[in-house]
Amino acid sequence: MVADHHATHTELPAWRSVVAAMPVPAALVDRNGVMVAANRWIEVEPGQALVRPLAEAVSKGLVFGADGTTRWRVRPVDPDAGVFLATTEREDTGDHLIRRFYSTGDSLFVVYDQSGHVIESNQAWEKLLGYSHDEVFGLDSWTLLPPDDVRTRVEVEQSLRTRGRAEPTFHMRRADGTYRLVRWALHFDTAVGRCFGIGRDVTEEHRLAAELHRRATTDELTGLANRATFLEALSAALEEGHDPAVLFLDLDHFKVINDSLGHAAGDELLAALGARLNALAVSADSVCARQGGDEFVVLLADGSEERAIAAAEETLEALTLPFRIADRSLRLHMSIGISYATADHRDPDRILGEADTAAYEAKRQGRGRYVVFDRELRAAVDRRFEVEAALRRALDGDELEVHLQPIVRLPGGGVVGAEALVRWRTGRELLGPGAFLDVAEEAGLMPDLGRLVVDRAIEAGSELRRRGRPMYVTVNLTAAELVEPDVVDVIARSLARWELPARDLVVEITESTVISADRVLPTLHELRALGVRIALDDFGTGFSSLAHLRELPIDVVKIDRSFVWDLVDDEVTRAMTGSLLHLCDAMGLDVVCEGIETTDQAAVVERLGGTLGQGFLFHRPMPIDELLALVTRPTGSRVHDTSLH
Ligand code: C2E
Ligand code: MG
Ligand code: MG
């Protein structure tokens, strides 16, 4: 330990030579009183105890040696490195020797009297602070402290009075008016009534330490606190007995911005966003940090639910103003999750994790909003995890079934096609897609699920054809499934395997599916090139753009059931549906009216010129065997008809 310190201490060789030159027994000892170097007057070997005990030695300045008889005077040389000077207490050691000893090296050496006036100093004062020996002599050393430093003197004097020593670090004014930070080891020698000190310039050391600290605690890009600092502040707030609240802010669609404008613009945007968020978190107890990527966190050290909600609303409000980046005006949206500590809920990681989960939930609910993490959400999250795990197992086993709902000709009700709808048989329950599709979507299971449904649907189509009742089958595909690079291949292979003509397969998509990913449109064209037909599902909800009817590669439009349900009572809906049917007819598109439940609805659809319908009035979704039985029943059999007309 001692050896290490000595090896790194640059001033030690100088002290060694001074010790060697002293005309009296003198030695350097470590903080345990063990001899490190000594002059020829001392017979003790290096490594052996010379004086004891050192703590006492330094405070008293005078102790008996390890041999129990010799009296040593001990002074700190470099307390940081644990080096002390021990000389025998003899009159002729003289202050001049001590001064000579301390005149070397870069450390400040001072002896001052009880009133604080300097009696002795070394050359380092000139080197480090720019004062000549004469200027320092008689100086009240306290006058060199910054005017606003009122505490140091009080503390030092108190420590010297009670402990006989002090180790303060304070700024000292140089002759040129600038300041240096000096760490002092002072001890008050009661025997002579003087204070004896050695000081070391630690300005650079501190600057470096501060810079290291800054780097370790802040996020380079935004200058905000980083995740580690944030967690520390959160833990501190919890330990101090506050009930902190955490806001987790997740930027919506940042990837799109990054991909389209480039990373430099993305960085610039994050920095601008960080500055705006930081400006919001101005109260004394709040901390705004960048969690990483496009995620930010805000801590309200004392945050009630109301306060957190107010902060979330304020943040969403602040984002309504656009950002100006790369010559563009960008409007950002964030999803915000809120979580807060309660008396029995005080784990910082968990609080942060829950805020994250709540933000995710906000995103799920449609972005640009906030969600508070509560018991309900915890239950929902737990349930979602359970469902996800069970769904993975279901995909491997045979719990997933494909039911088919007939599409019928109007009037008459002859079955012309069937929509494949996924079902999940868990125990005795048969779950509809509403219970698990969003989980599948989030867990990235849609491509697997899609492959399964497509293959079963095509198999069913092939079976119907084999049994003499060919009809088309439709499958619903989402963006997640349509962006799979091999989706067209998978469908083509399945068609080939079951020997179903591509014409008998219809892929149902929604307008939002096409809009959500660039890759969807080319895929639709490829599918159409194969001969597969495309249906625009749920028309009348969402975008309902007539332009889409013209621009998208579609063959069929399915009018949403919400439209159909209004037909009977609402004249406007009736008029619109009538026009839509005409328009589609003129464009050569087939139209299926979905969700027909009553004969009245069917009658209106027919009156408006609708020729195809689907709904509980005609048939509910059913397993393939039931459909086969239905369409091959002698009475149920109709004229062979595979076209939509
Ligand atoms: P969708 O494509 O619009 O399918 C029609 C939905 O309406 C089906 O619900 C069907 O059972 C229901 N429906 C049919 N006729 C009536 C009616 O007269 N009254 C009422 N109230 N409902 C009727 P389901 O099976 O629950 O499916 C819901 C949605 O889930 C589907 O809407 C579709 O978007 C999606 N979906 C179903 N199966 C799959 C699948 O295998 N893959 C994908 N990606 N999505 C699927
Ligand atoms: Mg559909
Ligand atoms: Mg639909």
Side-chain angles (χ1 to χ4, degrees):
M1 194 60 199
V2 173
D4 281 357
H5 282 297
H6 294 170
T8 57
H9 205 289
T10 51
E11 294 176 14
L12 200 62
W15 284 325
R16 276 180 198 267
S17 53
V18 172
V19 166
M22 282 187 159
V24 292
L28 295 174
V29 296
D30 69 16
R31 46 170 80 83
N32 299 315
V34 170
M35 205 260 274
V36 177
N39 62 13
R40 63 200 159 99
W41 308 104
I42 294 179
E43 278 160 17
V44 174
E45 292 293 317
Q48 287 186 310
L50 185 71
V51 295
R52 60 161 197 196
L54 203 75
E56 195 189 318
V58 176
S59 67
K60 296 228 173 88
L62 207 63
V63 286
F64 286 103
D67 60 7
T69 54
T70 318
R71 281 156 60 90
W72 295 91
R73 175 178 271 259
V74 179
R75 294 176 173 86
V77 165
D78 186 344
D80 288 342
V83 183
F84 300 83
L85 168 70
T87 51
T88 50
E89 176 63 3
R90 288 229 310 254
E91 281 310 310
D92 61 358
T93 54
D95 276 355
H96 70 281
L97 277 174
I98 303 295
R99 200 181 315 133
R100 187 170 146 206
F101 178 87
Y102 283 107
S103 68
T104 62
D106 294 330
S107 295
L108 293 165
F109 163 68
V110 71
V111 178
Y112 61 86
D113 64 18
Q114 302 208 0
S115 63
H117 291 91
V118 176
I119 299 167
E120 288 291 348
S121 65
N122 65 352
Q123 287 160 5
W125 283 76
E126 174 125 36
K127 257 200 284 185
L128 198 68
L129 301 176
Y131 301 114
S132 67
H133 188 266
D134 289 348
E135 281 173 310
V136 181
F137 186 79
L139 181 77
D140 177 354
S141 44
W142 294 114
T143 60
L144 296 184
L145 268 63
D148 58 348
D149 183 355
V150 288
R151 287 179 51 194
T152 301
R153 180 174 188 172
V154 176
E155 283 168 8
V156 168
E157 287 180 344
Q158 153 131 19
S159 179
L160 289 175
R161 247 195 329 276
T162 55
R163 297 160 58 229
R165 61 198 161 97
E167 294 83 23
T169 300
F170 51 80
H171 281 100
M172 296 183 76
R173 192 174 56 254
R174 302 175 58 180
D176 66 6
T178 60
Y179 282 88
R180 302 297 290 182
L181 191 65
V182 182
R183 178 154 68 238
W184 285 96
L186 300 169
H187 92 265
F188 187 67
D189 194 332
T190 37
V192 289
R194 290 179 197 165
C195 190
F196 175 100
I198 181 138
R200 184 176 354 189
D201 179 19
V202 292
T203 313
E204 293 313 319
E205 209 174 297
H206 267 245
R207 200 171 287 161
L208 184 67
E211 174 60 16
L212 287 174
H213 179 75
R214 197 191 63 74
R215 281 174 192 240
T217 54
T218 55
D219 170 60
E220 282 297 312
L221 182 63
T222 60
L224 296 176
N226 64 11
R227 182 188 151 85
T229 313
F230 182 84
L231 269 174
E232 236 167 67
L234 174 58
S235 303
L238 288 162
E239 272 159 29
E240 284 161 18
H242 300 290
D243 284 345
V246 169
L247 273 68
F248 196 105
L249 307 102
D250 192 352
L251 200 54
D252 296 333
H253 301 304
F254 179 64
K255 201 181 147 356
V256 179
I257 295 169
N258 225 10
D259 289 351
S260 55
L261 296 187
H263 285 266
D267 283 356
E268 201 184 322
L269 183 64
L270 287 175
L273 174 63
R276 202 179 282 186
L277 293 176
N278 199 37
L280 285 177
V282 284
S283 63
D285 73 336
S286 58
V287 177
C288 179
R290 177 156 172 244
Q291 164 84 358
D294 58 353
E295 296 169 347
F296 293 82
V297 274
V298 175
L299 167 73
L300 303 172
D302 234 334
S304 61
E305 184 175 347
E306 296 76 46
R307 197 179 153 208
I309 287 176
E313 279 169 353
E314 209 184 335
T315 305
L316 293 176
E317 173 74 30
L319 289 177
T320 54
L321 289 175
F323 287 84
R324 184 116 207 116
I325 303 288
D327 274 346
R328 276 169 197 244
S329 173
L330 291 173
R331 207 175 291 269
L332 297 182
H333 298 278
M334 296 196 105
S335 300
I336 304 181
I338 299 172
S339 158
Y340 47 91
T342 56
D344 55 352
H345 174 27
R346 313 191 65 77
D347 177 51
D349 286 312
R350 207 175 123 192
I351 293 170
L352 188 59
E354 289 180 352
D356 186 0
T357 303
Y360 185 73
E361 181 63 22
K363 198 157 268 209
R364 221 177 61 85
Q365 287 181 12
R367 303 170 191 267
R369 65 182 67 210
Y370 67 84
V371 164
V372 180
F373 192 96
D374 52 15
R375 194 169 299 181
E376 224 170 278
L377 184 54
R378 153 116 338 258
V381 168
D382 287 350
R383 204 184 114 65
R384 207 172 309 148
F385 278 127
E386 277 169 33
V387 173
E388 182 187 324
L391 191 56
R392 281 181 195 281
R393 289 195 297 274
L395 274 167
D396 289 338
D398 52 6
E399 284 176 30
L400 289 185
E401 297 177 8
V402 172
H403 285 207
L404 293 151
Q405 183 179 31
I407 295 168
V408 302
R409 170 159 306 290
L410 298 174
V415 180
V416 295
E419 175 171 12
L421 297 162
V422 68
R423 299 286 182 266
W424 181 6
R425 194 171 292 283
T426 58
R428 300 214 327 264
E429 232 184 330
L430 189 66
L431 298 178
F436 60 90
L437 274 195
D438 56 343
V439 178
E441 189 98 51
E442 275 160 27
L445 298 174
M446 280 316 279
D448 286 345
L449 187 136
R451 267 189 275 271
L452 184 142
V453 174
V454 164
D455 199 58
R456 298 270 179 86
I458 292 175
E459 181 188 4
S462 155
E463 185 62 16
L464 284 157
R465 170 170 282 269
R466 212 175 55 75
R467 301 279 284 270
R469 274 309 312 271
M471 65 179 72
Y472 65 89
V473 286
T474 81
V475 290
N476 295 278
L477 292 181
T478 59
E481 299 164 273
L482 286 166
V483 298
E484 281 291 288
D486 62 347
V487 62
V488 179
D489 268 3
V490 168
I491 291 174
R493 260 185 274 132
S494 188
L495 286 169
R497 176 174 169 218
W498 297 108
E499 295 176 355
L500 186 76
R503 220 195 119 61
D504 278 357
L505 181 67
V506 179
V507 166
E508 296 192 8
I509 53 147
T510 63
E511 288 173 287
S512 55
T513 297
V514 187
I515 285 154
S516 67
D518 292 344
R519 296 229 312 271
V520 171
L521 205 53
T523 302
L524 296 181
H525 282 291
E526 279 180 58
L527 285 172
R528 259 182 131 209
L530 270 186
V532 172
R533 285 179 290 174
I534 312 290
L536 191 59
D537 203 358
D538 300 344
F539 195 80
T541 63
F543 297 91
S544 302
S545 154
L546 292 180
H548 282 159
L549 297 182
R550 212 166 288 126
E551 290 158 7
L552 295 177
I554 54 169
D555 307 277
V556 184
V557 176
K558 297 186 79 172
I559 296 184
D560 192 69
R561 61 172 184 255
S562 58
F563 246 66
V564 172
W565 290 351
D566 285 344
L567 278 182
V568 179
D569 299 324
D570 184 29
E571 212 172 300
V572 178
T573 309
R574 215 158 37 229
M576 275 175 62
T577 310
S579 315
L580 195 57
L581 284 163
H582 282 300
L583 188 70
C584 290
D585 193 42
M587 289 193 285
L589 298 169
D590 288 324
V591 181
V592 178
C593 289
E594 294 188 292
I596 300 177
E597 292 186 345
T598 66
T599 45
D600 285 353
Q601 288 165 351
V604 179
V605 169
E606 279 172 33
R607 200 154 14 96
L608 292 172
T611 55
L612 295 164
Q614 179 180 355
F616 294 169
L617 172 67
F618 311 109
H619 305 283
R620 290 188 172 255
M622 59 187 85
I624 171 72
D625 291 343
E626 270 179 45
L627 179 64
L628 282 170
L630 174 79
V631 296
T632 53
R633 244 190 346 236
T635 50
S637 67
R638 309 274 165 175
V639 184
H640 180 164
D641 181 3
T642 66
S643 78
L644 291 166
H645 289 287

Short mmCIF file of all heavy atoms in Angstrom, two decimals, residues 539 546 549-550 557 559 563 567 572-593 604-612 645:
data_model
loop_
_atom_site.label_atom_id
_atom_site.label_comp_id
_atom_site.label_asym_id
_atom_site.label_seq_id
_atom_site.Cartn_x
_atom_site.Cartn_y
_atom_site.Cartn_z
N PHE A 539 -64.95 -1.05 -45.21
CA PHE A 539 -65.06 0.27 -45.84
C PHE A 539 -66.18 1.05 -45.17
O PHE A 539 -67.25 0.51 -44.90
CB PHE A 539 -65.30 0.13 -47.34
CG PHE A 539 -65.07 1.41 -48.07
CD1 PHE A 539 -63.79 1.82 -48.40
CD2 PHE A 539 -66.14 2.25 -48.39
CE1 PHE A 539 -63.56 3.03 -49.04
CE2 PHE A 539 -65.92 3.46 -49.02
CZ PHE A 539 -64.64 3.86 -49.35
N LEU A 546 -62.72 7.73 -51.15
CA LEU A 546 -63.18 7.27 -52.46
C LEU A 546 -61.99 7.17 -53.42
O LEU A 546 -61.97 6.34 -54.32
CB LEU A 546 -64.24 8.22 -53.02
CG LEU A 546 -65.57 8.21 -52.26
CD1 LEU A 546 -66.55 9.18 -52.90
CD2 LEU A 546 -66.17 6.82 -52.19
N LEU A 549 -60.56 3.80 -53.56
CA LEU A 549 -61.28 2.82 -54.40
C LEU A 549 -60.70 2.82 -55.81
O LEU A 549 -60.62 1.80 -56.47
CB LEU A 549 -62.77 3.16 -54.47
CG LEU A 549 -63.53 3.11 -53.15
CD1 LEU A 549 -65.00 3.43 -53.38
CD2 LEU A 549 -63.40 1.73 -52.50
N ARG A 550 -60.26 4.02 -56.21
CA ARG A 550 -59.75 4.13 -57.58
C ARG A 550 -58.28 3.73 -57.64
O ARG A 550 -57.84 3.12 -58.60
CB ARG A 550 -59.93 5.59 -58.04
CG ARG A 550 -60.17 5.74 -59.51
CD ARG A 550 -60.68 7.14 -59.86
NE ARG A 550 -62.05 7.40 -59.45
CZ ARG A 550 -62.42 8.44 -58.70
NH1 ARG A 550 -61.53 9.30 -58.27
NH2 ARG A 550 -63.69 8.61 -58.38
N VAL A 557 -65.10 -4.53 -52.58
CA VAL A 557 -65.21 -3.63 -51.44
C VAL A 557 -66.20 -4.25 -50.46
O VAL A 557 -67.27 -4.70 -50.86
CB VAL A 557 -65.74 -2.25 -51.88
CG1 VAL A 557 -65.95 -1.35 -50.67
CG2 VAL A 557 -64.77 -1.60 -52.85
N ILE A 559 -68.47 -3.35 -47.41
CA ILE A 559 -69.01 -2.21 -46.66
C ILE A 559 -69.23 -2.64 -45.21
O ILE A 559 -69.87 -3.65 -44.93
CB ILE A 559 -70.32 -1.71 -47.29
CG1 ILE A 559 -70.01 -1.19 -48.70
CG2 ILE A 559 -70.95 -0.62 -46.44
CD1 ILE A 559 -71.20 -0.59 -49.40
N PHE A 563 -72.27 0.61 -41.14
CA PHE A 563 -73.04 1.25 -42.22
C PHE A 563 -74.36 0.53 -42.41
O PHE A 563 -75.43 1.13 -42.48
CB PHE A 563 -72.24 1.12 -43.51
CG PHE A 563 -71.77 2.43 -44.04
CD1 PHE A 563 -70.83 3.18 -43.34
CD2 PHE A 563 -72.27 2.91 -45.23
CE1 PHE A 563 -70.40 4.37 -43.82
CE2 PHE A 563 -71.84 4.12 -45.73
CZ PHE A 563 -70.89 4.85 -45.02
N LEU A 567 -78.63 1.56 -42.11
CA LEU A 567 -79.38 1.65 -43.37
C LEU A 567 -80.88 1.82 -43.18
O LEU A 567 -81.52 2.63 -43.85
CB LEU A 567 -79.15 0.38 -44.21
CG LEU A 567 -77.87 0.33 -45.03
CD1 LEU A 567 -77.83 -0.96 -45.84
CD2 LEU A 567 -77.77 1.54 -45.95
N VAL A 572 -79.63 9.30 -44.76
CA VAL A 572 -78.36 9.75 -45.33
C VAL A 572 -77.48 8.54 -45.62
O VAL A 572 -76.90 8.42 -46.71
CB VAL A 572 -77.64 10.72 -44.36
CG1 VAL A 572 -76.29 11.15 -44.93
CG2 VAL A 572 -78.52 11.93 -44.09
N THR A 573 -77.39 7.64 -44.66
CA THR A 573 -76.58 6.44 -44.87
C THR A 573 -77.11 5.66 -46.06
O THR A 573 -76.34 5.13 -46.87
CB THR A 573 -76.62 5.54 -43.61
OG1 THR A 573 -76.31 6.33 -42.49
CG2 THR A 573 -75.65 4.38 -43.72
N ARG A 574 -78.40 5.62 -46.13
CA ARG A 574 -79.02 4.88 -47.23
C ARG A 574 -78.61 5.49 -48.58
O ARG A 574 -78.18 4.79 -49.49
CB ARG A 574 -80.54 4.93 -47.07
CG ARG A 574 -81.19 3.67 -47.52
CD ARG A 574 -82.56 3.46 -46.92
NE ARG A 574 -83.38 4.62 -46.75
CZ ARG A 574 -84.04 4.93 -45.62
NH1 ARG A 574 -83.94 4.14 -44.57
NH2 ARG A 574 -84.78 6.02 -45.53
N ALA A 575 -78.68 6.81 -48.64
CA ALA A 575 -78.34 7.50 -49.89
C ALA A 575 -76.87 7.27 -50.24
O ALA A 575 -76.51 6.98 -51.38
CB ALA A 575 -78.62 8.98 -49.75
N MET A 576 -76.03 7.36 -49.19
CA MET A 576 -74.60 7.19 -49.43
C MET A 576 -74.30 5.78 -49.91
O MET A 576 -73.50 5.57 -50.84
CB MET A 576 -73.82 7.42 -48.13
CG MET A 576 -73.51 8.88 -47.89
SD MET A 576 -72.72 9.09 -46.30
CE MET A 576 -71.24 8.14 -46.55
N THR A 577 -74.92 4.81 -49.26
CA THR A 577 -74.66 3.42 -49.63
C THR A 577 -75.11 3.17 -51.07
O THR A 577 -74.42 2.49 -51.84
CB THR A 577 -75.38 2.46 -48.66
OG1 THR A 577 -75.06 2.86 -47.34
CG2 THR A 577 -74.96 1.02 -48.88
N GLY A 578 -76.25 3.77 -51.40
CA GLY A 578 -76.74 3.62 -52.77
C GLY A 578 -75.72 4.15 -53.77
O GLY A 578 -75.36 3.48 -54.76
N SER A 579 -75.19 5.36 -53.49
CA SER A 579 -74.22 5.95 -54.41
C SER A 579 -72.97 5.10 -54.48
O SER A 579 -72.39 4.90 -55.56
CB SER A 579 -73.80 7.34 -53.93
OG SER A 579 -74.90 8.06 -53.54
N LEU A 580 -72.57 4.61 -53.31
CA LEU A 580 -71.35 3.80 -53.25
C LEU A 580 -71.50 2.54 -54.12
O LEU A 580 -70.59 2.17 -54.87
CB LEU A 580 -71.09 3.42 -51.79
CG LEU A 580 -69.70 2.88 -51.45
CD1 LEU A 580 -68.63 3.87 -51.86
CD2 LEU A 580 -69.62 2.61 -49.94
N LEU A 581 -72.68 1.93 -54.00
CA LEU A 581 -72.92 0.71 -54.79
C LEU A 581 -72.84 1.02 -56.28
O LEU A 581 -72.22 0.29 -57.05
CB LEU A 581 -74.28 0.12 -54.42
CG LEU A 581 -74.30 -0.63 -53.08
CD1 LEU A 581 -75.73 -0.83 -52.59
CD2 LEU A 581 -73.60 -1.97 -53.20
N HIS A 582 -73.40 2.15 -56.66
CA HIS A 582 -73.36 2.55 -58.08
C HIS A 582 -71.94 2.81 -58.53
O HIS A 582 -71.50 2.36 -59.58
CB HIS A 582 -74.20 3.81 -58.31
CG HIS A 582 -75.65 3.50 -58.35
ND1 HIS A 582 -76.21 2.64 -59.29
CD2 HIS A 582 -76.68 3.92 -57.57
CE1 HIS A 582 -77.51 2.54 -59.06
NE2 HIS A 582 -77.83 3.29 -58.03
N LEU A 583 -71.24 3.56 -57.68
CA LEU A 583 -69.87 3.93 -58.01
C LEU A 583 -69.01 2.69 -58.21
O LEU A 583 -68.28 2.56 -59.19
CB LEU A 583 -69.30 4.78 -56.86
CG LEU A 583 -67.95 5.42 -57.09
CD1 LEU A 583 -68.07 6.54 -58.12
CD2 LEU A 583 -67.40 5.98 -55.78
N CYS A 584 -69.11 1.76 -57.26
CA CYS A 584 -68.31 0.54 -57.33
C CYS A 584 -68.69 -0.26 -58.57
O CYS A 584 -67.82 -0.81 -59.26
CB CYS A 584 -68.50 -0.31 -56.08
SG CYS A 584 -67.76 0.43 -54.64
N ASP A 585 -69.95 -0.27 -58.84
CA ASP A 585 -70.42 -1.00 -60.01
C ASP A 585 -69.79 -0.40 -61.26
O ASP A 585 -69.27 -1.11 -62.12
CB ASP A 585 -71.95 -0.93 -60.06
CG ASP A 585 -72.51 -1.92 -61.06
OD1 ASP A 585 -71.99 -3.06 -61.08
OD2 ASP A 585 -73.42 -1.55 -61.83
N ALA A 586 -69.77 0.93 -61.28
CA ALA A 586 -69.20 1.62 -62.45
C ALA A 586 -67.71 1.34 -62.56
O ALA A 586 -67.15 1.32 -63.66
CB ALA A 586 -69.45 3.12 -62.32
N MET A 587 -67.05 1.13 -61.45
CA MET A 587 -65.61 0.87 -61.48
C MET A 587 -65.31 -0.62 -61.62
O MET A 587 -64.15 -1.02 -61.61
CB MET A 587 -64.96 1.40 -60.20
CG MET A 587 -64.92 2.91 -60.15
SD MET A 587 -63.82 3.51 -58.85
CE MET A 587 -64.80 3.22 -57.43
N GLY A 588 -66.34 -1.40 -61.74
CA GLY A 588 -66.14 -2.84 -61.90
C GLY A 588 -65.74 -3.54 -60.61
O GLY A 588 -65.13 -4.61 -60.63
N LEU A 589 -66.08 -2.92 -59.49
CA LEU A 589 -65.76 -3.55 -58.21
C LEU A 589 -67.00 -4.25 -57.66
O LEU A 589 -68.12 -3.74 -57.78
CB LEU A 589 -65.33 -2.48 -57.19
CG LEU A 589 -64.08 -1.68 -57.52
CD1 LEU A 589 -63.94 -0.50 -56.56
CD2 LEU A 589 -62.85 -2.59 -57.44
N ASP A 590 -66.79 -5.44 -57.07
CA ASP A 590 -67.89 -6.10 -56.39
C ASP A 590 -68.05 -5.50 -55.01
O ASP A 590 -67.07 -5.04 -54.41
CB ASP A 590 -67.59 -7.60 -56.24
CG ASP A 590 -67.70 -8.30 -57.58
OD1 ASP A 590 -68.57 -7.91 -58.37
OD2 ASP A 590 -66.89 -9.22 -57.83
N VAL A 591 -69.27 -5.52 -54.48
CA VAL A 591 -69.49 -4.98 -53.14
C VAL A 591 -70.18 -6.03 -52.28
O VAL A 591 -71.19 -6.61 -52.69
CB VAL A 591 -70.37 -3.71 -53.18
CG1 VAL A 591 -70.56 -3.17 -51.77
CG2 VAL A 591 -69.75 -2.66 -54.07
N VAL A 592 -69.62 -6.28 -51.09
CA VAL A 592 -70.25 -7.18 -50.13
C VAL A 592 -70.71 -6.31 -48.96
O VAL A 592 -69.93 -5.53 -48.42
CB VAL A 592 -69.26 -8.24 -49.61
CG1 VAL A 592 -69.94 -9.14 -48.57
CG2 VAL A 592 -68.70 -9.07 -50.75
N CYS A 593 -71.98 -6.41 -48.59
CA CYS A 593 -72.44 -5.70 -47.39
C CYS A 593 -72.29 -6.64 -46.20
O CYS A 593 -72.88 -7.72 -46.16
CB CYS A 593 -73.89 -5.25 -47.56
SG CYS A 593 -74.01 -3.90 -48.74
N VAL A 604 -83.26 -3.65 -47.57
CA VAL A 604 -82.75 -2.33 -47.99
C VAL A 604 -81.54 -2.52 -48.91
O VAL A 604 -81.43 -1.86 -49.95
CB VAL A 604 -82.37 -1.45 -46.78
CG1 VAL A 604 -81.82 -0.12 -47.24
CG2 VAL A 604 -83.57 -1.24 -45.88
N VAL A 605 -80.62 -3.40 -48.50
CA VAL A 605 -79.42 -3.63 -49.32
C VAL A 605 -79.84 -4.04 -50.73
O VAL A 605 -79.32 -3.51 -51.73
CB VAL A 605 -78.51 -4.71 -48.68
CG1 VAL A 605 -77.41 -5.13 -49.65
CG2 VAL A 605 -77.90 -4.18 -47.38
N GLU A 606 -80.78 -4.96 -50.79
CA GLU A 606 -81.24 -5.42 -52.11
C GLU A 606 -81.84 -4.28 -52.90
O GLU A 606 -81.57 -4.10 -54.08
CB GLU A 606 -82.28 -6.53 -51.95
CG GLU A 606 -81.65 -7.88 -51.67
CD GLU A 606 -82.71 -8.93 -51.33
OE1 GLU A 606 -83.83 -8.85 -51.87
OE2 GLU A 606 -82.40 -9.79 -50.48
N ARG A 607 -82.67 -3.48 -52.21
CA ARG A 607 -83.34 -2.38 -52.88
C ARG A 607 -82.33 -1.39 -53.45
O ARG A 607 -82.54 -0.79 -54.50
CB ARG A 607 -84.30 -1.68 -51.92
CG ARG A 607 -85.34 -0.88 -52.61
CD ARG A 607 -86.64 -0.68 -51.83
NE ARG A 607 -86.62 -1.00 -50.42
CZ ARG A 607 -86.42 -0.09 -49.43
NH1 ARG A 607 -86.20 1.16 -49.70
NH2 ARG A 607 -86.43 -0.48 -48.17
N LEU A 608 -81.23 -1.20 -52.73
CA LEU A 608 -80.20 -0.25 -53.18
C LEU A 608 -79.34 -0.84 -54.29
O LEU A 608 -78.46 -0.17 -54.82
CB LEU A 608 -79.31 0.16 -52.01
CG LEU A 608 -79.97 1.01 -50.92
CD1 LEU A 608 -79.04 1.19 -49.74
CD2 LEU A 608 -80.39 2.37 -51.48
N GLY A 609 -79.57 -2.08 -54.59
CA GLY A 609 -78.82 -2.69 -55.69
C GLY A 609 -77.69 -3.59 -55.24
O GLY A 609 -76.87 -4.03 -56.05
N GLY A 610 -77.60 -3.85 -53.89
CA GLY A 610 -76.55 -4.74 -53.39
C GLY A 610 -76.81 -6.17 -53.81
O GLY A 610 -77.95 -6.64 -53.76
N THR A 611 -75.74 -6.86 -54.27
CA THR A 611 -75.93 -8.22 -54.75
C THR A 611 -75.24 -9.26 -53.89
O THR A 611 -75.43 -10.46 -54.10
CB THR A 611 -75.40 -8.36 -56.19
OG1 THR A 611 -74.04 -7.94 -56.20
CG2 THR A 611 -76.21 -7.52 -57.16
N LEU A 612 -74.41 -8.80 -52.95
CA LEU A 612 -73.69 -9.75 -52.10
C LEU A 612 -73.79 -9.34 -50.64
O LEU A 612 -73.70 -8.16 -50.32
CB LEU A 612 -72.21 -9.81 -52.51
CG LEU A 612 -71.94 -10.36 -53.91
CD1 LEU A 612 -70.53 -10.01 -54.36
CD2 LEU A 612 -72.16 -11.86 -53.95
N HIS A 645 -70.23 -12.30 -59.08
CA HIS A 645 -71.50 -11.83 -59.65
C HIS A 645 -72.51 -12.94 -59.69
O HIS A 645 -72.15 -14.09 -59.83
CB HIS A 645 -71.27 -11.30 -61.07
CG HIS A 645 -70.51 -10.00 -61.05
ND1 HIS A 645 -71.05 -8.82 -60.66
CD2 HIS A 645 -69.22 -9.75 -61.32
CE1 HIS A 645 -70.15 -7.87 -60.73
NE2 HIS A 645 -69.02 -8.40 -61.12
#
